Amino acid sequence: MNIFGKVKIGYLIAESSKFDEWVDFAQKCLGLMLSERTEQALSFRIDDHQKRLIIQKGVQEDVTHLGVQLADESVLQEVLHRFDQRGIDYAQGTAEDAVLRGVKAFWTLRGPKDIQLELFIDALHTQDDLETKVSGFYTGDCGMGHVALTSRKPEKMIRFWQEFFDARLTDTIEQKINGVILDVSFLRLNERHHSVAVARTRGSVHLDPIRTRIQHVNFQVLDIEDITASYQRCKDYGFHVVWDVGLHTNDREVSFYVASPSDFEVELGWNPIKIDEALWIPVKHTSISVWGHKPRNPTPAHKLLHEFGQLNRGLKSLKRDEYSPI
Ligand SMILES: [Fe+2]
């Protein structure tokens, strides 16, 4: 059974103690709708799903869970069967945790890089209007957006998505930064150009200079003016725009990147191409952007990335082990 096209990113959970900053950031700047605020969690909407981004109260300033939506019961059974065959443990989530995620039921397992991977079929929907500062967000058959990660075990991470979710390689980008080559593989699960991007440093040992489990999560807005207005709001509120507005070479998305209160970045993008399976041939690009995406006041992690070439100490901390289920 081939499940390509029947898999999409559904939700993201991060842990943070900075609830007020997250409300300013996600709702007032990026235009996500705060749909629920409790002592323990913030929930944000971008469409008719009750929850797409959930911030849970906690000490890690990091992404902890990634929800993956499957088309139906047969797809779920197929994926669980594949996990069984490889001896990968999973468990059914509790009813209480399902409500917290805005889904009817879910299955959970320890995924690559210690992100808890959660499988669900049906989201809980709402008929309430989406109150947002932007025109809206594109989701539908493409899912919530995409995530990008740096990995010390990129081959395993890519194989994980290919083996269990029938991911396809859309294209790759090779970018030279101060003498160090960064290779990024873009994997698609459906017609979205990519749902998961895996970045690695070239060489026998892959370094991971990013503290957080994901480097960025992408949300796709409906209008180019959503990009410019959100960009301006982020600057007005003093959030750190890490990469200025630019156009990506491969998915042709116009976007900018801003550091969230928990350090991982959010990419707000507009108008990426969709993949036509009948015509697509994977290609290799040699730069990330056609124009723009210039770094602004680099964060320590970005400075590190840019200074890889001169790096001769502190390598040990970059070699911490990375969990892989396969
Ligand atoms: Fe991206």
Side-chain angles (χ1 to χ4, degrees):
M1 181 178 178
N2 186 346
I3 63 167
F4 177 81
K6 296 173 179 173
V7 182
K8 51 191 178 182
I9 303 296
Y11 60 81
L12 191 78
I13 305 180
E15 203 177 284
S16 177
S17 60
K18 303 175 183 173
F19 275 20
D20 290 340
E21 289 95 322
W22 264 105
V23 172
D24 283 349
F25 177 72
Q27 183 175 46
K28 295 179 184 166
C29 293
L30 299 181
L32 286 74
M33 177 185 174
L34 179 68
S35 55
E36 190 180 83
R37 179 173 188 158
T38 67
E39 197 55 36
Q40 288 311 312
L42 304 173
S43 302
F44 294 96
R45 280 177 56 200
I46 58 173
D47 57 10
D48 65 348
H49 285 214
Q50 282 184 5
K51 302 177 180 196
R52 287 291 201 176
L53 174 67
I54 301 153
I55 309 296
Q56 289 184 326
K57 180 73 51 91
V59 293
Q60 295 185 62
E61 297 293 336
D62 202 353
V63 168
T64 52
H65 303 69
L66 181 67
V68 174
Q69 187 169 18
L70 305 176
D72 55 39
E73 185 65 29
S74 68
V75 177
L76 174 67
Q77 290 309 323
E78 174 66 22
V79 175
L80 295 182
H81 175 65
R82 293 178 188 185
F83 287 136
D84 285 339
Q85 284 188 318
R86 291 289 246 121
I88 294 174
D89 288 336
Y90 53 82
Q92 184 155 20
T94 65
E96 187 187 353
D97 282 345
V99 169
L100 200 89
R101 288 152 173 74
V103 298
K104 282 189 183 156
F106 71 102
W107 296 82
T108 182
L109 65 132
R110 189 181 176 196
K113 214 177 171 182
D114 256 327
I115 296 173
Q116 200 68 20
L117 202 68
E118 305 192 326
L119 312 175
F120 71 100
I121 300 169
D122 295 309
L124 300 174
H125 294 265
T126 174
Q127 305 301 320
D128 297 346
D129 287 344
L130 186 74
E131 289 166 27
T132 169
K133 288 183 183 294
V134 296
S135 318
F137 293 88
Y138 190 82
T139 53
D141 291 340
C142 290
M144 186 182 86
H146 66 246
V147 293
L149 317 85
T150 46
S151 178
R152 299 208 48 239
K153 296 177 177 171
E155 294 86 4
K156 287 189 174 190
M157 191 179 282
I158 291 166
R159 202 184 326 135
F160 178 87
W161 286 98
Q162 290 175 328
E163 184 176 335
F164 299 105
F165 298 98
D166 292 339
R168 295 178 180 174
L169 181 69
T170 304
D171 46 34
T172 55
I173 296 180
E174 167 192 305
Q175 170 111 43
K176 210 169 183 184
I177 302 172
N178 282 349
V180 170
I181 297 172
L182 198 68
D183 288 299
V184 192
S185 301
F186 295 81
L187 302 173
R188 71 182 183 281
L189 302 169
N190 50 57
E191 64 186 1
R192 187 180 285 284
H193 176 278
H194 61 284
S195 291
V196 179
V198 180
R200 80 191 80 174
T201 56
R202 195 175 292 182
S204 54
V205 177
H206 304 302
L207 306 177
D208 184 357
I210 309 290
R211 179 188 68 78
T212 52
R213 292 185 182 93
I214 69 160
Q215 193 272 327
H216 75 263
V217 55
N218 163 290
F219 296 104
Q220 183 184 339
V221 289
L222 297 182
D223 196 304
I224 185 70
E225 289 191 12
D226 298 330
I227 297 289
T228 52
S230 293
Y231 174 86
Q232 190 57 47
R233 284 192 296 265
C234 286
K235 290 180 76 168
D236 290 347
Y237 270 79
F239 288 107
H240 178 203
V241 172
V242 185
W243 306 91
D244 252 331
V245 178
L247 173 69
H248 280 304
T249 47
N250 59 344
D251 66 1
R252 314 305 289 186
E253 188 172 30
V254 175
S255 68
F256 71 94
Y257 296 73
V258 55
S260 76
S262 302
D263 286 350
F264 63 86
E265 295 169 18
V266 173
E267 176 186 27
L268 203 66
W270 172 72
N271 204 30
I273 59 167
K274 282 186 189 177
I275 300 302
D276 180 342
E277 294 300 325
L279 300 174
W280 189 258
I281 298 165
V283 285
K284 183 173 176 178
H285 298 271
T286 49
S287 72
I288 289 173
S289 305
V290 179
W291 56 263
H293 289 141
K294 297 287 178 241
R296 295 177 63 91
N297 305 321
T299 59
H302 281 86
K303 252 182 124 179
L304 198 57
L305 194 65
H306 281 261
E307 289 164 4
F308 255 146
Q310 298 89 18
L311 206 64
N312 56 17
R313 62 197 175 102
L315 284 181
K316 221 171 179 181
S317 67
L318 303 176
K319 291 180 183 173
R320 62 186 178 273
D321 195 28
E322 180 179 306
Y323 176 74
S324 174
I326 56 173

